[in-house]
Amino acid sequence: MSNVSEAAPDTTAGPAGVAGRVVAARGSVLDIEFPAGELPAIREALAVEWDRGAPLTAEVQQHLDPRRVRAVALQGSGGLKRGTPVRRLRLPVTVPVGQPVLGRLLNVLGETTDRGPPLPAGIERRPIHAAAPALERRSAARERFHTGIKSIDLLAPLVQGGKAAMFGGAGVGKTVLIMELIRTTVERHAGISVFSGIGERSREGHELLTELTASGVLARTALVFGQMNEPPGARWRTGLAALTVAEHFRDREHQSVLLLIDNVYRLVQAGAEVSGLLGRLPSRVGYQPTLADEVSELEERITSVAGSAITSIQAVYVPADDFTDPAVAEIFSHLDSSIVLSREMASEGMYPAVDPLASTSSLLDPQLVGARHFDTAQRVRGTVAHYRELQEVIALLGMEELSTADRTAVKRARLLMRYLTQPFVVTEAFTGIAGRSVELDATLAGCEAILAGEADTWAESSLYMAGDLNEAREREAKAHERPASA
């Protein structure tokens, strides 16, 4: 199947195109007939000239015969009639890019949905389908991307220009972590953030917009939403639309960009819906047979080039907490860092609920992060792993049956897990606790002190939701002062 050229001009400047006719409409799937010799290319955008205001945009997905194509509508198609004229745009779907989209909320077609002023006339647009940067253009540098979040910087450090994902079921804190990362990135790195909301609820989008406005970082952030109530075609292409906006800042303005996607699994779900509507036979566990292609089409374009990078952090819903699900496994294969959120830790109030044993990063290597960081992370993991091995014994027999060394290890593991909790700025309104951002050196120093036994006599509450170890030390000192003053 042929693809449309990536270096395409603006859709608004294209010719009127050859008129086809809708010959069948089944939900979001349209069969369209064109004159002989005028068959549109795969992924070409079409404008359906119906009587309901602006034209309906559809994307060609299949060639049925020399004159008919099957297309997927990217907007609601209710009320569409057979015989409606269709215009070829001779281009893929395009979205507006550049400084004017910062601070704005867009849909998959680049239309503003925030009730603000229209985008400037003549704004540059780019097609959402493009090739990944050639290998010779990619940067081989492996620089750390600091987040100020203790558990991530210690156990699953992010790579500048890399891809990281947060895996977890419903209600374990993926979206809150994404919102905190937007805030810290804009403040710490003074970069551009692009947020892609795939299958988001209207409430979630409104809350994110309000939060970014209140924290003063909206002016450096572009938001692209394909909401839950939109057709599957819109949700399916939202990730590519947001990535296109990010690529412009990387390639043309040479700025580093943070691309946040919530939620990649919903992109896979939308692709499965589209695949079913197109009549393709399902593959494993009912997923689309093109699952690997669709995921790689998005992930392989996220990379760094000389002087600028797109760093992506993605939330991934894990159905039924099953990490062997084909969609989850496919996304895993493209990542540099995997942040696994634990439901058990979330139920205990350990936020962020980053599982210290399951979370990994390709950057966690002594040659890349240094011996001190690597050794500290390994010792933290080893202590927590030993504690989890002993949990069943503790539940059956109690702590008294453990050896002195095991009791010490359990105590330190519990202290470490509480030290790695952290209050976020975006949750201040709900928790009443001021947010904390912690430098990596402070995180390492705190973990080293706990592993060395400095906090063995401390109350666990002194470390829970603290920033660095100095704050925990002050809490412990105050706790000891109260009985004396009383």
Side-chain angles (χ1 to χ4, degrees):
M1 294 188 298
S2 61
N3 287 335
V4 213
S5 168
E6 275 105 15
D10 186 346
T11 56
T12 57
V18 176
R21 297 279 172 183
V22 175
V23 294
R26 295 176 298 279
S28 297
V29 174
L30 316 177
D31 288 355
I32 303 166
E33 188 174 35
F34 287 88
E38 288 293 340
L39 200 68
I42 298 294
R43 293 181 174 175
E44 183 176 330
L46 306 174
V48 181
E49 305 284 359
W50 60 350
D51 55 0
R52 301 201 170 199
L56 169 68
T57 302
E59 184 180 272
V60 177
Q61 292 299 319
Q62 290 179 351
H63 289 162
L64 301 178
D65 58 40
R67 294 186 58 180
R68 289 186 307 143
V69 300
R70 182 160 289 166
V72 173
L74 302 185
Q75 298 158 293
S77 57
L80 181 64
K81 303 172 185 176
R82 284 185 296 176
T84 302
V86 178
R87 226 172 6 102
R88 282 189 63 185
L89 297 179
R90 303 182 186 276
L91 301 164
V93 174
T94 63
V95 291
V97 295
Q99 295 292 331
V101 304
L102 294 177
R104 304 305 302 271
L105 180 63
L106 310 174
N107 64 14
V108 69
L109 300 176
E111 301 164 342
T112 57
T113 57
D114 53 9
R115 300 181 182 177
L119 294 172
I123 185 172
E124 182 182 354
R125 301 179 71 95
R126 286 176 65 139
I128 66 171
H129 298 290
L135 284 175
E136 59 268 20
R137 286 189 59 215
R138 301 190 186 190
S139 170
R142 306 285 285 174
E143 298 179 18
R144 280 181 287 186
F145 183 88
H146 293 292
T147 65
I149 299 172
K150 291 182 287 189
S151 53
I152 294 178
D153 287 344
L154 173 69
L155 300 167
L158 306 187
V159 183
Q160 185 88 25
K163 298 177 280 286
M166 292 176 292
F167 294 87
V172 296
K174 297 186 299 297
T175 301
V176 170
L177 203 48
I178 284 270
M179 290 170 66
E180 181 70 9
L181 285 165
I182 292 178
R183 187 198 63 78
T184 56
T185 299
V186 173
E187 291 185 359
R188 277 176 159 264
H189 302 277
I192 301 293
S193 291
V194 179
F195 179 87
S196 174
I198 304 174
E200 293 285 282
R201 304 169 184 86
S202 299
R203 171 188 59 78
E204 292 172 332
H206 181 265
E207 287 177 357
L208 179 64
L209 190 61
T210 304
E211 176 61 39
L212 294 178
T213 303
S215 59
V217 300
L218 183 62
R220 305 283 292 170
T221 306
L223 306 170
V224 184
F225 271 80
Q227 295 185 136
M228 191 175 283
N229 62 338
E230 294 190 54
R235 289 179 270 123
W236 190 38
R237 294 309 192 199
T238 298
L240 294 181
L243 177 56
T244 302
V245 173
E247 285 176 327
H248 171 84
F249 288 107
R250 180 194 66 190
D251 299 335
R252 296 284 294 277
E253 303 198 14
H254 307 292
Q255 292 182 290
S256 291
V257 186
L258 177 66
L259 174 65
L260 299 117
I261 305 177
D262 188 5
N263 183 308
V264 180
Y265 182 76
R266 294 198 189 113
L267 181 147
V268 172
Q269 280 185 311
E273 291 180 54
V274 169
S275 181
L277 290 169
L278 293 173
R280 295 173 180 151
L281 290 174
S283 183
R284 289 186 300 160
V285 199
Y287 286 110
Q288 60 270 42
T290 53
L291 171 64
D293 286 344
E294 290 173 16
V295 172
S296 62
E297 181 183 11
L298 174 75
E299 301 288 0
E300 290 305 309
R301 287 167 60 182
I302 301 171
T303 187
S304 59
V305 296
S308 54
I310 297 177
T311 304
S312 177
I313 302 174
Q314 308 163 13
V316 182
Y317 168 71
V318 180
D321 292 339
D322 178 15
F323 286 87
T324 63
D325 183 89
V328 175
E330 184 60 40
I331 296 167
F332 250 124
S333 66
H334 291 272
L335 302 176
D336 299 293
S337 303
S338 302
I339 302 164
V340 178
L341 302 181
S342 162
R343 185 172 301 282
E344 182 181 352
M345 291 178 64
S347 67
E348 295 174 0
M350 302 287 194
Y351 289 107
V354 177
D355 190 324
L357 303 185
S359 301
T360 60
S361 171
S362 62
L363 195 66
L364 197 58
D365 183 286
Q367 294 183 338
L368 298 175
V369 298
R372 181 195 179 198
H373 184 168
F374 178 78
D375 292 342
T376 303
Q378 293 302 94
R379 290 175 64 199
V380 167
R381 281 200 175 121
T383 304
V384 173
H386 188 45
Y387 166 55
R388 291 189 176 173
E389 290 170 0
L390 295 171
Q391 276 183 313
E392 189 173 344
V393 175
I394 295 169
L396 292 173
L397 303 176
M399 285 281 288
E400 296 76 15
E401 296 300 317
L402 299 180
S403 66
T404 303
D406 284 345
R407 283 201 296 270
T408 300
V410 168
K411 174 68 174 177
R412 291 176 184 173
R414 291 178 61 86
L415 290 170
L416 283 167
M417 292 173 72
R418 279 147 186 80
Y419 176 64
L420 292 176
T421 61
Q422 187 171 343
F424 290 158
V425 173
V426 296
T427 59
E428 284 181 12
F430 310 105
T431 63
I433 306 173
R436 303 283 191 276
S437 181
V438 183
E439 295 297 326
L440 177 62
D441 284 342
T443 300
L444 294 176
C447 291
E448 287 168 344
I450 294 170
L451 289 166
E454 181 181 334
D456 283 357
T457 59
W458 294 9
E460 293 177 358
S461 57
S462 297
L463 290 150
Y464 179 69
M465 287 295 171
D468 57 18
L469 197 67
N470 288 332
E471 182 181 345
R473 192 178 284 114
E474 290 170 8
R475 287 187 187 178
E476 182 67 16
K478 287 179 182 177
H480 285 291
E481 287 171 6
R482 289 186 195 118
S485 61

